[in-house]
């Protein structure tokens, strides 16, 4: 559906708050951003390319914020 709507799918990124999100993405060659406001602990962020402390920070990391 995203491709059909004209979105660029060549550079995916996983957004998650648990160890399984980060490492599942890494196992597939997809970078991950850990969201520390979710259920996970800081230790679960290992392997992520960045950690976002808020939705606003995540937006900035994704290049969507002002």
């Amino acid at each position: 559906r995203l491709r059909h709507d004209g979105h660029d799918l060549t550079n995916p990124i996983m957004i998650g708050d648990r160890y399984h999100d980060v490492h599942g993405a890494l196992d597939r060659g997809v970078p991950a951003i850990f969201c520390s406001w979710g259920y996970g602990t800081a230790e679960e962020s290992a392997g992520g390319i960045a950690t976002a402390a808020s939705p606003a920070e995540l937006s900035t990391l994704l290049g969507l914020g002002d």
Side-chain angles (χ1 to χ4, degrees):
R1 230 169 51 196
L2 292 172
R3 184 176 287 116
H4 181 270
D5 290 344
H7 296 283
D8 179 5
L9 305 179
T10 60
N11 199 17
I13 190 160
M14 173 64 166
I15 310 299
D17 66 347
R18 296 304 309 260
Y19 168 89
H20 301 290
D21 300 327
V22 174
H23 290 276
L26 294 176
D27 287 347
R28 304 291 184 277
V30 175
I33 295 176
F34 184 79
C35 296
S36 63
W37 74 86
Y39 292 102
T41 62
E43 293 79 24
E44 293 183 81
S45 68
I49 62 167
T51 296
S54 68
E57 188 174 348
L58 175 61
S59 181
T60 299
L61 288 169
L62 294 172
L64 304 173
D66 292 330

